Amino acid sequence: MLKIEHLKKQYKKGPLVLNDINLEIPEGQIVGLIGPSGAGKSTLIRCINRLIKPSSGSISLDGTNLSEASPKKIRQQRRYIGMIFQEYALVERLSVMENVLSGRLGYLSFWQSFTRRYPQKDIDNAFDYLQRVGLIDHANKRADELSGGQRQRVGIARALAQDPRLLLVDEPTASLDPKTSRQIMRLIQSICREKGLPAIINIHDVPLAMQFVDRIIGLQGGDIVFDGQASELNEQVLTRIYGDEDWQPADEQQDKGDD
Amino acid sequence: MDQLTQHTLWQSNIRRKNWLVWGTCFVLALLTVYCWSIMNKDTIWEFVYDAPEQGADLVSRMFPPDWFYINKLYKALWDTINIATLGTLLGLIIALPVAFLAARNTTPSVLFVRPIALFIIAASRSINSLIWALLLVMILGPGILAGVLAIGLRSVGFIAKLFYESIEEINATSVEAIESTGASRFQVINYAIIPQVLPAFLGVIIFRWDINIRESTILGLVGAGGIGLFLSSSLNVLAWPQVTLIIVVILATVIVSEFLSAKVRALLIG
């Protein structure tokens, strides 16, 4: 279980990006984090795996405190937190397999990883994950030979290779077309269900979020302004999160005019 | 009325610009004349007047080249190529850590370590390899070792500078991704940084080797081994046909090295 208490983040001389965030995410829950650009979504998930250092407050994963850990301890804990990125963040000139296996780096010595001598178990698992995301035939291709959707699948397999207890997902579909976006979200959702894995998905596409997540958290100016089920998300809530805007789809407005 | 004022104003603007351009040209012309007079204060014009004759005389003495002299040059040529290659290798070995210490995104400390690395780069780059060779011949005595060290020390700055610039240009999110798996600093370098910069690194090394072939041909002038040694001794005894041959050999070597480096680069990077 992930527990965040009184989390604050302020960049040097800047305003508060996160202002007293309190959050609990139980096993297996998929959380969609929505909010306007600059609301602090990215900062929040990067505080959890300590790519960003929080200013104050505590973050704990399964009872281990992450906010005040030493650099070595942080590296150990990062192994249990898989992260999936917007622009896939693969190492393009490495093979698909090497990208997936790089999820194991935290468990290996430098020399083992330098010589690419992975334990057979890691390799077997990596093939399983590639099978799971549907890329088993592409294992030896270079990552830059793949399409956007395929690259994101490699990103998912890399996160799985970490054998994580939590998934952090940063705008997984922002660079993908609507169909691929749905496939990727469905894949993430079903993997989380299979493994009982909690996930925080940072996402701009509200309808997509409503379709695939259990719980939605709305972030605005560093504060949580909404926390509830996807079905509770209505126009008032969207206005509270994003500000005034006409939230009706175009065709519905057309219908109203005709009446 | 308004339009008219605007029109006049616009013209006067052009005129001012014209005056500025012509004025600058005039000042530059004056400066050139002044510099020319200082430059040639010590020129003995009698020597310059018969320059064409002297030149023709030298050329006639330089031709035909002493083709058989080449048998003595093979070893020197081999030395020259070795000086360039080993020097490049030495430069690479020193430059690699320096580059990682100088790049903003990999240096352990922007405040303390980075300035030191940048100073090493500047120091190496500001001293020509011929001057490095002069100093090293004084310390180590004449020979190939001084040449290798001179080429190596000169290459450090060049290689490290281009290396650290390409390290700074890498895609930062790939680095973030590898860091987020719990990888250590060296694992991040190995998995996220090296693959991204490798093509640039190879290009730089080959380019520097190509430059070093050219630089190592003259190091012999100050006693640091290689074909330049023969050039300077031939010049000293006024053996012009030998000098011609050496120049031809240097030219051929440079052309071959340029051809080779282009081929290798295309093979590795393309």
Side-chain angles (χ1 to χ4, degrees):
Chain A
M1 189 177 74
L2 178 74
K3 196 169 180 182
I4 299 175
E5 284 172 319
H6 305 296
L7 177 66
K8 285 185 186 174
K9 174 65 193 175
Q10 183 171 26
Y11 292 107
K12 271 178 207 162
K13 291 175 192 160
L16 275 170
V17 184
L18 295 174
N19 184 17
D20 201 28
I21 301 287
N22 291 284
L23 199 59
E24 259 183 41
I25 297 173
E27 287 298 295
Q29 190 177 57
I30 304 174
V31 177
L33 195 59
I34 64 172
S37 304
K41 305 190 296 291
S42 233
T43 306
L44 175 56
I45 66 168
R46 279 171 171 74
C47 279
I48 295 171
N49 67 356
R50 288 298 306 273
L51 287 174
I52 291 175
K53 191 177 179 350
S55 304
S56 68
S58 88
I59 301 168
S60 68
L61 179 65
D62 297 336
T64 311
N65 194 338
L66 297 170
S67 50
E68 272 154 36
S70 64
K72 195 178 171 194
K73 184 95 180 181
I74 289 172
R75 281 207 301 275
Q76 276 175 5
Q77 289 301 312
R78 277 180 185 161
R79 302 184 298 193
Y80 309 128
I81 305 173
M83 191 158 178
I84 296 166
F85 293 81
Q86 174 181 348
E87 298 282 353
Y88 330 124
L90 303 180
V91 182
E92 311 239 307
R93 296 181 63 87
L94 293 183
S95 70
V96 168
M97 196 61 184
E98 279 174 302
N99 268 293
V100 176
L101 284 170
S102 69
R104 299 303 297 169
L105 285 176
Y107 297 93
L108 299 176
S109 71
F110 172 75
W111 194 244
Q112 264 180 308
S113 62
F114 181 76
T115 54
R116 306 312 199 242
R117 269 195 289 240
Y118 288 88
Q120 190 56 42
K121 190 166 165 289
D122 289 356
I123 297 171
D124 293 342
N125 286 339
F127 274 117
D128 283 348
Y129 300 133
L130 279 178
Q131 178 85 51
R132 180 68 188 80
V133 300
L135 289 176
I136 193 77
D137 299 331
H138 301 277
N140 290 318
K141 278 192 185 167
R142 238 169 65 167
D144 54 7
E145 290 176 51
L146 303 182
S147 70
Q150 288 173 326
R151 286 186 208 193
Q152 193 56 290
R153 287 163 191 274
V154 178
I156 294 170
R158 173 174 63 191
L160 286 179
Q162 285 177 244
D163 204 4
R165 297 179 198 158
L166 171 69
L167 270 189
L168 301 175
V169 191
D170 191 14
E171 303 280 357
T173 61
S175 321
L176 300 173
D177 66 63
K179 183 170 179 234
T180 316
S181 295
R182 273 157 186 76
Q183 288 170 342
I184 291 291
M185 286 299 286
R186 191 168 295 119
L187 182 64
I188 294 173
Q189 186 195 39
S190 62
I191 285 170
C192 287
R193 294 271 184 268
E194 281 163 30
K195 297 179 179 289
L197 200 58
I200 301 177
I201 304 176
N202 187 338
I203 191 163
H204 269 308
D205 189 334
V206 176
L208 197 65
M210 291 169 72
Q211 194 179 342
F212 290 103
V213 306
D214 306 323
R215 172 182 171 192
I216 285 187
I217 293 173
L219 213 56
Q220 211 278 319
D223 291 304
I224 293 179
V225 294
F226 174 79
D227 186 348
Q229 293 189 329
S231 55
E232 295 170 39
L233 210 59
N234 54 30
E235 279 183 51
Q236 279 98 14
V237 173
L238 283 176
T239 302
R240 198 165 359 129
I241 297 170
Y242 289 101
D244 264 329
E245 186 47 78
D246 190 353
W247 299 106
Q248 294 297 325
D251 55 331
E252 279 182 39
Q253 283 178 4
Q254 200 70 45
D255 292 345
K256 274 180 199 163
D258 289 344
D259 290 342
Chain B
M1 192 57 194
D2 263 344
Q3 258 179 341
L4 195 68
T5 339
Q6 217 173 3
H7 180 74
T8 345
L9 197 71
W10 177 71
Q11 249 211 345
S12 75
N13 218 351
I14 276 285
R15 246 179 224 157
R16 194 179 304 151
K17 221 181 205 168
N18 274 345
W19 272 111
L20 209 71
V21 170
W22 285 114
T24 312
C25 284
F26 183 65
V27 171
L28 277 178
L30 280 183
L31 205 68
T32 310
V33 170
Y34 177 66
C35 290
W36 183 260
S37 69
I38 290 181
M39 254 162 58
N40 293 313
K41 211 163 56 183
D42 300 327
T43 307
I44 301 166
W45 288 101
E46 284 68 29
F47 284 180
V48 179
Y49 292 144
D50 69 346
E53 280 165 54
Q54 294 291 339
D57 183 41
L58 185 61
V59 168
S60 77
R61 270 185 283 169
M62 284 177 85
F63 280 92
D66 182 359
W67 295 111
F68 292 103
Y69 189 57
I70 188 124
N71 294 317
K72 286 191 174 171
L73 292 181
Y74 288 133
K75 187 171 176 300
L77 194 62
W78 181 237
D79 284 350
T80 299
I81 292 167
N82 282 336
I83 289 172
T85 310
L86 292 176
T88 311
L89 213 63
L90 176 70
L92 170 68
I93 291 167
I94 304 174
L96 200 62
V98 173
F100 278 98
L101 296 178
R104 264 173 210 287
N105 47 354
T106 54
T107 183
S109 158
V110 177
L111 228 57
F112 301 106
V113 181
R114 188 165 187 266
I116 296 173
L118 290 180
F119 177 76
I120 294 173
I121 292 171
S124 156
R125 276 160 54 81
S126 58
I127 302 173
N128 192 288
S129 50
L130 204 60
I131 298 168
W132 275 120
L134 256 172
L135 297 173
L136 287 163
V137 165
M138 270 191 255
I139 299 166
L140 297 166
I144 293 174
L145 182 64
V148 172
L149 288 181
I151 291 287
L153 290 175
R154 166 71 172 161
S155 303
V156 167
F158 181 93
I159 296 175
K161 186 178 167 68
L162 292 176
F163 273 18
Y164 95 71
E165 281 173 358
S166 64
I167 294 171
E168 284 182 348
E169 281 168 15
I170 59 171
N171 176 1
T173 55
S174 301
V175 176
E176 237 186 358
I178 297 295
E179 275 176 351
S180 73
T181 66
S184 67
R185 181 190 284 267
F186 284 104
Q187 284 176 324
V188 171
I189 290 177
N190 182 213
Y191 273 74
I193 299 176
I194 296 285
Q196 291 193 57
V197 294
L198 200 60
F201 277 21
L202 290 174
V204 169
I205 295 164
I206 294 163
F207 185 33
R208 188 64 220 186
W209 176 76
D210 186 27
I211 295 172
N212 283 346
I213 290 272
R214 270 172 274 160
E215 298 221 325
S216 61
T217 55
I218 53 162
L219 289 185
L221 288 177
V222 295
I227 201 164
L229 215 57
F230 285 76
L231 182 63
S232 96
S233 63
S234 294
L235 279 170
N236 284 340
V237 297
L238 306 178
W240 297 112
Q242 291 178 4
V243 171
T244 319
L245 182 77
I246 292 169
I247 291 172
V248 168
V249 166
I250 290 175
L251 184 69
T253 313
V254 169
I255 288 171
V256 169
S257 83
E258 223 157 282
F259 173 78
L260 271 182
S261 66
K263 278 275 172 225
V264 173
R265 203 174 318 171
L267 207 79
L268 287 175
I269 297 158

